[in-house]
Amino acid sequence: VLIKMRFNGKKALVTGAAGGIGKSLVRKLRAEGASVAVTDINVSHIEAEAHFPGDLSVAQFCDDLPIKTRDVLGSLDILINNAGIIRRGKVTQATDDDFKSTMAVNIEAPFRLCRSTIPIMAANGGGSIVNTASCWGLNPGPDHPIYIMSKAALASFTQCLGRDHAHQNIRVNAVCPNEVNTPMIRSGFSIRGLDPDKAIEELNETVPLGRIAEPDDISDVILFLASDEARYMCGSLVEVNGGKPVS
């Protein structure tokens, strides 16, 4: 199989690199020629050119991360804001920490990372930013108000930046998945006392394509948006849902 080399010589930063989608992104970026910096709470087990373990809810860590990436890799051409957390339940059951932690990771971190990255990309003549939003941020589903609010904000933020920085040849787009078979969704089932395998099987039956997404299904679209193949896309919100509407 002939592997495309869409990212030869490119320098990329991937957040949430230890998750299902994150691991897929890092592996594929490197296979196509990119040098990759990774961040998550623990990234010691991930093969990459630069490792920045840390907590995205820490403001200074986020502010410094793109600069550190540029200093170590020599440039920063691609930023993938892939990290995210889910807090479930009705708003009346939500804690202050549910709100603060969700907003810190899902919104404030991408805000800070974009704010720090855009001047670097502008000085380089351009770049690509891809955010992981959610179908649920575009069409709200039940009992996830804080998560949905954060993803709706990220989608709107993407559209704003896509418009504001296109003139600098910086393209900002977002992928909007529905359910994905990752450790995050499986842990959610376990927390609720459900068998993850059985719960995934039941979810599969709700999708017109016959299954929920695998990480590779989402990472392939993210990498398309990051690549020159998507050179005319700015501020786009791309739903990747197997034909399943949010309900």
Side-chain angles (χ1 to χ4, degrees):
V1 178
L2 185 65
I3 296 176
K4 292 181 184 177
M5 295 299 282
R6 294 175 294 181
F7 305 109
N8 232 355
K10 299 290 187 185
K11 318 296 184 183
L13 169 60
V14 178
T15 74
I21 296 170
K23 284 179 181 173
S24 177
L25 285 167
V26 174
R27 186 181 71 252
K28 290 177 182 178
L29 279 164
R30 296 180 77 237
E32 290 198 43
S35 298
V36 183
V38 294
T39 186
D40 212 315
I41 298 297
N42 180 5
V43 289
S44 59
H45 57 295
I46 301 170
E47 286 190 33
E49 281 63 46
H51 297 78
F52 298 114
D55 183 350
L56 289 180
S57 66
V58 177
Q60 194 66 54
F61 177 72
C62 292
D63 290 342
D64 294 343
L65 197 52
I67 297 157
K68 287 181 178 176
T69 299
R70 179 200 62 193
D71 291 349
V72 171
L73 298 184
S75 183
L76 179 52
D77 307 296
I78 297 165
L79 167 64
I80 302 178
N81 284 311
N82 171 66
I85 61 172
I86 296 180
R87 296 287 184 264
R88 299 172 175 86
K90 295 186 186 300
V91 72
T92 47
Q93 299 160 342
T95 65
D96 285 3
D97 182 65
D98 288 335
F99 179 83
K100 286 178 184 173
S101 59
T102 300
M103 292 302 148
V105 174
N106 292 6
I107 286 298
E108 188 175 343
F111 155 72
R112 290 181 178 278
L113 288 161
C114 287
R115 184 177 65 178
S116 183
T117 294
I118 285 169
I120 296 170
M121 289 183 172
N124 286 348
S128 178
I129 298 172
V130 186
N131 298 320
T132 301
S134 172
C135 291
W136 287 61
L138 308 181
N139 304 285
D143 299 334
H144 288 65
I146 295 175
Y147 173 76
I148 288 168
M149 176 169 54
S150 73
K151 292 299 189 178
L154 186 57
S156 182
F157 185 57
T158 299
Q159 291 174 311
C160 293
L161 296 193
R163 178 173 182 164
D164 290 348
H165 297 284
H167 73 282
Q168 295 168 297
N169 195 34
I170 298 170
R171 298 184 305 98
V172 187
N173 296 289
V175 66
C176 302
N178 208 323
E179 295 104 347
V180 187
N181 186 11
T182 62
M184 186 162 74
I185 197 171
R186 287 177 170 272
S187 67
F189 289 131
S190 299
I191 288 166
R192 286 175 279 169
L194 302 171
D195 175 75
D197 289 332
K198 193 167 186 298
I200 297 282
E201 280 179 27
E202 290 174 4
L203 262 186
N204 287 342
E205 293 172 9
T206 68
V207 184
L209 264 183
R211 60 176 179 81
I212 66 169
E214 292 297 325
D216 283 352
D217 297 324
I218 308 304
S219 66
D220 279 348
V221 178
I222 292 172
L223 294 182
F224 162 72
L225 291 172
S227 78
D228 288 342
E229 293 177 345
R231 59 193 170 272
Y232 205 66
M233 296 178 72
C234 301
S236 294
L237 308 176
V238 182
E239 292 193 63
V240 187
N241 58 16
K244 179 182 176 178
V246 175
S247 58

